[in-house]
Amino acid sequence: MTVPMKRDAALGRGARLRRAAVSLGERLEAGAVLLVLLIAGSVWAFVELADEVLEGETAAIDRAVLLLLRTPGDPADPLGPPWVEEIGRDVTALGGIAVLTLLTLVVAAFLALRRMRGAAWLLLLATGSGMLASFVLKDLFDRPRPDLVPHGAHVVSASFPSGHSMMAAIVYLTLGALLARVQPQRRIKAFVLSVSILLAVLVGISRVYLGVHWPTDVLAGWTVGAAWALMFWLLARWLQRKGQVEVGEPE
């Protein structure tokens, strides 16, 4: 190959690399814009829902949905045989502070052992700050727990928003995002994220089924939890571009 031909081939490769870099940058920016829009939408939904709850506009639908999950004529009896209620308690435990804290610490330790310390710290920050936000919001709204039906689980805090639903969304969606980013295949990414969303949804449904939350408590927990998780997804993208959070497992 002559020198001009080699030079032309090198220039062609350089042009392709530049186009690939520009295309990647555009995709990254589009993803960031989408995350910002989703965060804004989740925050807006929470604010609107909180306003409706404070004005008492959701009382009728809250009562109707709660009673739909009870045996007609006997509000003390959840729908289904006793083992269904036991499953409900098992599922609701997946959103409890003890389970989520243990899960977060185990995954953070695993990430640290894999030398993904930036991702480990990000997970701890998302979970710890989310718990603090949950406590603050509960104290701020101070909504009483449902008194329409007996509680199927022990509760000690205020009702709005649902802490189990909020923390399940934060932890499982954040974990799902971290796992999805190190998977090369799109179907595996979709599976991981789908399972994360399913877990958060099931925890919220279990809270209403057990009679410890109004449906709007759970909706509020999902919206603010999703906003929190999305905010940390956006932060992770920014830190990854700065090289402070790992994109995948190190060699």
Side-chain angles (χ1 to χ4, degrees):
M1 183 183 291
T2 63
V3 173
M5 292 178 63
K6 291 182 178 179
R7 185 183 300 113
D8 290 343
L11 290 174
R13 286 195 296 271
R16 288 195 295 272
L17 288 173
R18 286 193 295 273
R19 287 196 296 269
V22 170
S23 177
L24 177 60
E26 290 175 348
R27 288 198 297 271
L28 288 172
E29 291 302 324
V33 170
L34 177 60
L35 283 175
V36 170
L37 291 176
L38 289 173
I39 293 169
S42 298
V43 172
W44 175 82
F46 173 76
V47 171
E48 288 294 317
L49 183 59
D51 183 61
E52 293 293 315
V53 168
L54 290 175
E55 293 180 356
E57 298 294 330
T58 64
I61 192 170
D62 272 334
R63 293 174 61 88
V65 173
L66 205 59
L67 290 176
L68 277 177
L69 298 177
R70 299 281 155 162
T71 301
D74 186 6
D77 184 25
L79 286 177
W83 60 265
V84 175
E85 187 175 358
E86 190 63 27
I87 289 177
R89 279 189 283 268
D90 291 340
V91 171
T92 209
L94 296 176
I97 294 296
V99 171
L100 294 179
T101 299
L102 180 61
L103 177 62
T104 299
L105 292 176
V106 169
V107 175
F110 174 78
L111 292 173
L113 290 173
R114 297 295 297 175
R115 292 181 295 162
M116 301 177 67
R117 294 181 180 86
W121 281 113
L122 190 70
L123 175 61
L124 291 172
L125 180 60
T127 303
S129 61
M131 288 182 181
L132 179 61
S134 176
F135 295 146
V136 170
L137 288 172
K138 281 180 174 292
D139 286 341
L140 178 64
F141 289 98
D142 197 26
R143 187 186 194 187
R145 293 279 179 165
D147 56 0
L148 186 62
V149 299
H151 296 166
H154 182 65
V155 291
V156 295
S157 61
S159 193
F160 186 93
S162 166
H164 279 64
S165 303
M166 177 177 169
M167 291 309 305
I170 291 173
V171 173
Y172 292 126
L173 292 181
T174 302
L175 287 176
L178 289 175
L179 291 174
R181 291 192 69 82
V182 300
Q183 301 301 322
Q185 299 181 19
R186 289 186 177 181
R187 62 180 180 178
I188 297 180
K189 292 177 184 286
F191 173 77
V192 169
L193 291 175
S194 297
V195 170
S196 301
I197 294 171
L198 177 62
L199 287 172
V201 169
L202 289 177
V203 168
I205 292 174
S206 73
R207 302 304 283 170
V208 180
Y209 178 77
L210 293 173
V212 295
H213 274 295
W214 300 107
T216 46
D217 297 334
V218 170
L219 287 176
W222 282 337
T223 56
V224 72
W228 207 265
L230 290 169
M231 181 176 66
F232 276 90
W233 286 12
L234 186 63
L235 177 60
R237 292 172 63 94
W238 179 68
L239 292 175
Q240 284 171 350
R241 296 182 69 177
K242 292 172 65 67
Q244 296 178 7
V245 168
E246 303 80 4
V247 176
E249 293 188 18
E251 297 295 335

